Amino acid sequence: MHTSSVADAPLVREPLHAPVAHLIRAGIVEGIHYGSVIVLDADGEVAFQIGDVEAAFYPRSALKPVQAVAMVRAGLPLDGELLSLAAASHSGEERHLAGTRRILDMAGLAESDLRNVPDLPFDPVVRDAWVREGRMPSRLAQNCSGKHAAMLYTAQLNGWSLDDYPDPAHPLQLAIAEIVEDLTGQRVAQVTVDGCGAPLFSVSLHGLARAAARIVTAEPGTPEARVAAAMREHAEMASGSGRDVAALMRAVPGLLAKDGFEGVQVAALPDGRAIAVKIADGASRARVPVAAAALARAGVDPALLTEFAGEPLLGGGQPVGCVRAVRALDPVPRASSV
C-alpha cells in the first residue's frame, strides 16, 4: 500500500466552481465556462487551485489508469499497447478493436462475454465510415471495450465469476475500489454506474491529481510504472490517432494524461507535478485550453502547449475570437520549464 492511512471521503455537495475559461468574440467575453482546477508540485503540495477541488465528483474515464493499476496488481499480465488499451477511452479504430479481441483471445473469451453497452465508434470519422458500411453498434466498438476485456481477463485469472464482473460487489470491483482509495488517499464517497456499465467511484479533484502523481513516480517495474509506461509509449491506443489527449502526451516529454467525459482531465509529469481539471458544463472546448494552462502553471514550457491553447470562435467562417483560460491560470515566472 502507498498510504499508511486513508482520509475520509470527500463531501457530497454542490461544487463551488469558479470561472476557468472565457469565450472571447472580437474582444468581448461572450460566455464563461465554470469549473475547478488543481496543480500539485513535485512534493505533492497544492501549488495552485481554483474552484472547488475537495468536493466529491465523478472522474469518469480519467480514473481508468487507476483501474488499470488495480488490475495489474490483481495479476493482469498485459504490457505495452494492450495495457494502454486496458486504460483507454478508445476511438474505435481497427487497432482498438483488434487489440480488444487479442485480450479476449488471451482469456479464451469472446465479444459476447463483454458486459459494456453496445455503441458506435467514438471517433466521428470512424463512426461515419462504420454507419456507411451498414455496421451496427457493438460492444467491441464501444470506447471502454479494452477496459472491459481486461476486467474479464483479470476475473478469469483469479477464478472469479465472469457474468457479473461489473457488479460493485464483485471481488474485482472491490479490489479496484481498494486501489482507488490507496492511490487517491481518500475513501470513495459514492459508487454509481459509468456510461459503459462498470462501477464509477467518486473522489475529489485533489484525490485524482494525487493518484496520477503516485502512478508516474512509482518505482520501475511496479504496476503503476507499467501502466504509465504503456500509456505514454502507446498514447494512440489509450485514445485515438486524432485525439487531443494523445497529442498532448506526444507534445510534452514524459507526460501521462487521461481525459474523461463531462470535462475531466488529469495529467502528471515524471517528477510528480500533476494537474486535474473539471469543467462544470462538460465542454471539451474548455477542457483542452484549461488543462494546457494548468500544465503551463505547473511549469511546462508554454511553447510545447501552443496547439492546445483553444479552438477559434468563427464568424462567417473566419476566426473572430477564441476560448481562453482565465488570466488567473497564466503561468508564473520560473527558473526553468519542462
Side-chain angles (χ1 to χ4, degrees):
M1 301 288 286
H2 281 68
T3 53
S4 57
S5 62
V6 176
D8 291 340
L11 293 177
V12 177
R13 65 184 182 217
E14 182 177 347
L16 302 173
H17 292 306
V20 294
H22 289 154
L23 281 67
I24 302 171
R25 186 182 296 269
I28 290 178
V29 175
E30 184 177 33
I32 301 173
H33 288 287
Y34 283 72
S36 297
V37 179
I38 188 167
V39 178
L40 301 183
D41 65 22
D43 295 324
E45 298 299 319
V46 178
F48 175 84
Q49 62 179 316
I50 189 171
D52 193 342
V53 303
E54 302 297 352
F57 90 119
Y58 291 121
R60 302 300 297 268
S61 288
L63 199 62
K64 283 178 178 173
V66 178
Q67 292 170 307
V69 168
M71 289 188 277
V72 174
R73 288 198 194 184
L76 183 69
L78 302 179
D79 278 300
E81 64 178 7
L82 293 186
L83 182 53
S84 184
L85 184 60
S89 301
H90 66 70
S91 292
E93 299 167 31
E94 193 53 46
R95 72 174 105 185
H96 302 126
L97 277 59
T100 302
R101 292 190 193 98
R102 285 171 59 195
I103 296 173
L104 290 170
D105 287 345
M106 293 167 74
L109 299 170
E111 181 180 353
S112 58
D113 293 303
L114 295 170
R115 292 292 177 264
N116 59 320
V117 295
D119 202 356
L120 295 170
F122 178 75
D123 183 271
V125 175
V126 179
R127 182 172 60 247
D128 288 348
W130 188 281
V131 171
R132 285 195 303 271
E133 294 165 6
R135 302 168 76 177
M136 301 298 291
S138 77
R139 299 184 192 276
L140 205 64
Q142 198 268 338
N143 76 90
C144 301
S145 63
K147 178 184 76 174
H148 278 257
M151 285 182 171
L152 273 170
Y153 194 8
T154 305
Q156 187 234 47
L157 289 168
N158 284 277
W160 297 328
S161 58
L162 302 183
D163 287 349
D164 61 341
Y165 74 87
D167 189 321
H170 191 279
L172 170 67
Q173 304 304 338
L174 294 176
I176 291 174
E178 180 181 358
I179 304 310
V180 170
E181 293 186 338
D182 178 20
L183 293 180
T184 62
Q186 60 189 175
R187 300 291 179 196
V188 169
Q190 191 162 302
V191 182
T192 187
V193 182
D194 209 342
C196 65
L200 176 60
F201 306 99
S202 177
V203 293
S204 70
L205 201 65
H206 191 171
L208 179 64
R210 187 161 45 227
R214 288 176 174 167
I215 289 173
V216 298
T217 57
E219 291 295 321
T222 60
E224 292 89 334
R226 286 170 56 189
V227 170
M231 293 182 68
R232 287 185 293 217
E233 293 169 15
H234 304 276
E236 288 79 8
M237 286 297 279
S239 53
S241 56
R243 299 272 290 282
D244 59 78
V245 70
L248 189 60
M249 283 195 276
R250 290 194 302 267
V252 181
L255 185 73
L256 175 69
K258 184 70 187 76
D259 55 346
F261 278 149
E262 297 303 322
V264 183
Q265 178 82 56
V266 67
L269 292 153
D271 64 0
R273 285 174 290 160
I275 66 103
V277 170
K278 165 64 181 174
I279 305 300
D281 62 7
S284 281
R285 72 173 181 179
R287 170 185 59 82
V288 177
V290 171
L295 285 168
R297 183 85 189 198
V300 174
D301 184 351
L304 300 175
L305 302 166
T306 305
E307 67 177 294
F308 310 102
E311 63 185 63
L313 295 182
L314 303 180
Q318 299 299 317
V320 295
C322 63
V323 181
R324 188 195 185 283
V326 295
R327 295 292 181 186
L329 274 161
D330 284 353
V332 295
R334 294 174 181 268
S336 62
S337 297
V338 172

